Amino acid sequence: MKMFSKAVVMGTTAILSGLIGVSGALAQVETITVTAQKREQTLQDTPVSVAVVTGEQIEQSQIRDAADLQMLVPSLRVSEFATSTNTEFNLRGIGTSSFNPGLEPSVGVFIDGVYRPRSGSAINDLLSVERVEVIRGPQSTLFGRNTPAGVVSIITQKPEYEFGYTGEVTIGNFGSRVLRGTVTGPLSDSMAFRLDATTHSNDGYITAEDGRDINNRDRQSYRAQLLWNPGDNTEIRIIGDYGTIDENCCAAPFAYYDPIDQGAIVGLGGTAVPADPHGGRIAIDGDLNTVLDTSGVSFQLDHDFDNITFTSITAFRNYDEDQNFDADFSDLDLVSARHIQNQYDSFTQEFRLTSTGDNTVDWMVGGFYYDNNLRFQNSTPYGADARNFFDAASAPSVASLVASLGLPAGTGGITLLEFFLDMNEAAGVGNFVPLASGTSALPTTPTEGFIATTHGLISEDYQYDTEAWSFFGQLDFHVTDDFTVTVGGRYSNEDKSMTTVIDQPDPMSAFSFTDLAQDLRLVAPGFCDPGLYPVIGGDACAYLVPVVLLGQGLTQYPGGAPIDPTSPLPGYLAGTAYNPLLGFSAFQNWEPVNASDFPTSRNDTNFSGNIILSYDMSDTLNVYASYATGFKPGGFNVSTNAAFTGVFEFEEETSSSFEIGAKGSLFDNHFVYAVALFDQEIEGFQTNNFVGNGFALENAGSIQVSGLEFEGTWAPTPGLVFTGGFTYLFESKYGDYQYAPCPDTFNGVGVWDAGDPNYALCEIGAERTNTAGVTALFNDLSGRDRGNSEFVGSLTGTYTWAVGDNMEAFMRGEVTNISSFGLTTSQDPRTFANQDGFSMVNGSFGIGAEDGSWGLQLWGRNLFEQDYVKGAFPSVGYLGTSVNAYPGDPRTYGITLRIRG
């Protein structure tokens, strides 16, 4: 029995790569064998849950990049949010947000054995792919860092010693144009080369009101390889690659306008495009542009000794990203263009020694070193329209108070707040009578006002360096010819350091409205003691909030105490609905933060391991049981948003997984299948939740995921092949998440139904203090469902037949079904914040030469134009409870011509 090794992981999703024995009376699914790291293993002998997409499938399904893979791998979800580079890989409902460079993915991405530190470095179009392996569950033993949820491993074609070439031209709707080219061949008897290039562009499927095309594609990739065999036992492979992206992506039209937001947009001359993510329209005044350049070189050496293979993989990589992004998704200047620069250089080195031949004990040992230097810069100040927007949007909420003070109708919240503070400052409030809240002085209005273009996130600049090393090993004990026990482990040590520079002035966020509610006075005729006012000024006047409460018809506080305007609002009520100033906290978007709040260094160590029991019950059935653990180190919150929750540093994430599986074939190898039951738990899950004015990064306690996976291939007749698979989650819930974000609110009113017990902790007055010492409204999602799809399944059918003596044709259909899922991490209950279940259908027809020298393919994706959204979030820079959403791709179709020689 051939044993499980690091790169030999083939699964039953692999179809069409040597599938059909056409010459026989009946079709058969051929045995799939992989030769990677000098160790062969058949499909049935692989005791791990894994799916494989072959190069032929990639062509026939018109898969361009990693995001398209999810159509053929049900347990994999890949989504783009905000920009092309913010790509999230998710396996079995487990993944990590890409919106904070301090976070690293839970799904590790490897290309030709080289680790990609951030998912954005693996999103360009695929080039000459041999296969893509999607390995589910913790893989830290052999793949190392940041694989607690699984691995996506892309293996490309090597140079060949026979001259060959491939060319491809694709034309499609939305102005789609794809050109690909490959050439390979010998340079000598011991050296061969391969050159690959591709360019991919389209015009986009969303149009801005000013005529610009949005959600377009404009990306190019180039790759050069050299293969050298200096002797019979030595192979050296050198790979250099360069990729560039310059795209206007990804737009998130409004899914819902809060009336106060829509009214303010229109009132200030902005455009309120109908709230419909699928309408194909958006109004923006800035860019949605990302420019990304990636490059790298890797050097792999494999040398066979008598019974050992030595492998060395050395790699250098560079990543340089520049984003200019209109974060408010409107044609008003509410939030000035978010400008992000993200650059890193990485070096990786892996050594392995692997036993070869037939042994009672097979083994592998190795070491890994990683060095990464990252610099992240961000600027997101207030826009020129922000003040007027906040005033206009808040004016209806403060209209009664404005009228009672005799101020001009339409006065908004910002102007009203400045009026109160200026009035109190001029009257010397607090000079004679100490402020009731205990603060030393009332805040003063800046010369430029509380909202100005010089306020907000002017700049944040981080230098974030990581150095890691690990040792690993695995033993395969062949107890009998049919029974094998595999034991492995990895010890990891990781050091991180960071320097921080911040410029984030926001006077509005520098004070507390709970304090202000106790301190402000109403300095106006009839509300001040005429005898004392000339002596102590404003300290002789009534307190503002009690006067407002009396004006609302209230006469008593809870418990029966009378509301007395000569006494301040009791402190225990300052954080409740008895404080009408709490609504002003919606203007506080940039919590006070200093560079000194951020840590400068940390160290993580971990031991992860696995044990696998594998038994060949027959020549056609293999069963296995496994237990594995995984690890992702902690790190730093690379964002001033850390001030929201007080979490400037997050802890490690660990995973454990039990898995029972079977792989086999039936009906004389006409049907091949794999099935797995899994139960996985993540401790210290690193989550990054968007809450409208920023992200709340923290360790969410634990999550628990269990379910069933199935994949199968059936070849009932020559030329006809069906393949299918599904992932069904029995549960995907938070085990412990006591301080989760609440859904959106405005003026103290949440988006949930009043009295809903699921949001009781989000009601004003239920404030709690989290482990970082921040007091705010947090929900408790412990034991709650996480909102993942319960079922994701796919089914494909391909029929191939001869046309004449030297041509063949094929027809292929694909359908994917995805059950309902939540769009927001805060579990917003509104309909437009949740996606109903849906199905998508793809299809293609191809005809070409039997020897593959040419082929023509007509194809379509999302043929029935199913509308769906990939994610949603509380609108940025708004006061109300508006929501934006990222639409899924519409129907696309085209024609592809390929030539080979």
Side-chain angles (χ1 to χ4, degrees), residues 500-678:
T500 304
V501 178
I502 291 174
D503 182 13
Q504 184 173 283
D506 185 17
M508 175 66 77
S509 298
F511 56 85
S512 165
F513 283 103
T514 57
D515 291 341
L516 211 58
Q518 301 171 67
D519 297 336
L520 280 179
R521 307 266 190 163
L522 182 54
V523 184
F527 294 96
C528 301
D529 187 316
L532 289 177
Y533 185 80
V535 180
I536 62 173
D539 288 329
C541 299
Y543 284 94
L544 174 68
V545 169
V547 172
V548 172
L549 295 177
L550 289 170
Q552 294 173 349
L554 299 176
T555 58
Q556 293 181 336
Y557 294 122
I563 297 176
D564 180 4
T566 64
S567 298
L569 177 73
Y572 74 92
L573 294 176
T576 72
Y578 281 82
N579 178 2
L581 300 186
L582 285 180
F584 289 94
S585 62
F587 303 131
Q588 296 181 311
N589 293 304
W590 309 103
E591 290 289 321
V593 65
N594 297 299
S596 60
D597 295 324
F598 289 82
T600 58
S601 64
R602 68 172 286 123
N603 173 264
D604 289 282
T605 60
N606 174 266
F607 181 81
S608 297
N610 67 337
I611 181 169
I612 305 172
L613 308 178
S614 178
Y615 184 68
D616 289 337
M617 300 188 68
S618 69
D619 291 339
T620 59
L621 177 61
N622 172 273
V623 296
Y624 68 91
S626 67
Y627 173 76
T629 61
F631 163 70
K632 187 169 70 161
F636 307 126
N637 193 339
V638 185
S639 172
T640 60
N641 292 162
F644 291 139
T645 59
V647 179
F648 293 89
E649 181 177 7
F650 54 91
E651 299 306 315
E652 68 178 33
E653 175 181 299
T654 59
S655 64
S656 59
S657 175
F658 292 93
E659 191 171 301
I660 300 173
K663 298 185 178 186
S665 64
L666 298 170
F667 313 123
D668 194 23
N669 212 42
H670 295 283
F671 179 66
V672 173
Y673 64 90
V675 61
L677 281 166
F678 61 89

Side-chain angles (χ1 to χ4, degrees), residues 751-782:
V751 298
W752 55 89
D753 292 335
D756 188 333
N758 289 321
Y759 304 99
L761 292 176
C762 295
E763 300 283 358
I764 289 179
E767 290 79 5
R768 295 181 294 145
T769 303
N770 70 1
T771 55
V774 172
T775 300
L777 290 170
F778 299 100
N779 208 355
D780 187 349
L781 298 182
S782 301

Side-chain angles (χ1 to χ4, degrees), residues 90-114:
N90 184 303
L91 280 172
R92 294 175 172 172
I94 302 171
T96 302
S97 168
S98 59
F99 279 95
N100 189 307
L103 282 170
E104 297 181 82
S106 298
V107 178
V109 178
F110 295 77
I111 300 180
D112 290 322
V114 176

Side-chain angles (χ1 to χ4, degrees), residues 3 12 15 101 137 224 477 526 612 621 660 705 707 766-767 791:
M3 291 318 304
T12 53
I15 63 170
F477 297 95
I612 305 172
L621 177 61
I660 300 173
V705 181
E767 290 79 5
F791 176 87

Side-chain angles (χ1 to χ4, degrees), residues 34 64 122 127 141 226 273 320 338 357 437 489 526 579 604 653 734 837 851:
V34 177
R64 299 294 177 192
L127 285 171
T141 299
L226 189 67
V273 174
D320 193 348
R338 184 185 67 181
S437 68
N579 178 2
D604 289 282
E653 175 181 299
Y734 292 106
D851 63 2

Side-chain angles (χ1 to χ4, degrees), residues 165-167 806 848-856 897-901:
Y165 61 87
T166 302
N806 55 9
E850 187 178 22
D851 63 2
S853 59
W854 68 272
L856 192 67
L897 172 66
R898 296 186 183 95
I899 59 170
R900 287 187 174 90

Side-chain angles (χ1 to χ4, degrees), residues 48-63:
V48 67
S49 180
V50 57
V52 172
V53 181
T54 67
E56 190 168 2
Q57 283 178 282
I58 286 172
E59 286 189 355
Q60 291 195 336
S61 295
Q62 288 292 316
I63 292 174

